[in-house]
Amino acid sequence: EHGHGGHHDVTVTATFTCEAPGRIDAIGTGIFSHFPRIEEIEGILVTDTVQTSFVWTPSETEFRLPR
């Protein structure tokens, strides 16, 4: 089946570098408004001090960074 009601996984890797990471308290996405059939996005956050995971959904599009 090519896009006829099946389940599809996509893996994306993104790396961001911030000059002032202490000023960021959350990360978010607006992808659900552009692609409404996406049900959830599982993310992994790795910094110098934290490793954690999170899930974005259409109703939860922001992840508060742990301090």
Side-chain angles (χ1 to χ4, degrees), residues 40-62:
E40 71 176 22
I41 297 172
E42 298 175 0
I44 299 171
L45 173 71
V46 179
T47 71
D48 293 342
T49 59
V50 175
Q51 293 183 17
T52 190
S53 61
F54 59 92
V55 177
W56 282 324
T57 65
S59 61
E60 292 288 331
T61 59
E62 185 175 277

Side-chain angles (χ1 to χ4, degrees), residues 5 17 20 23 32 34 39-40 44 48 59:
T17 302
R23 296 179 62 190
F32 297 101
H34 298 283
E39 295 178 3
E40 71 176 22
I44 299 171
D48 293 342
S59 61

Side-chain angles (χ1 to χ4, degrees), residues 9-20:
D9 287 336
V10 175
T11 300
V12 176
T13 301
T15 302
F16 300 94
T17 302
C18 180
E19 293 182 17

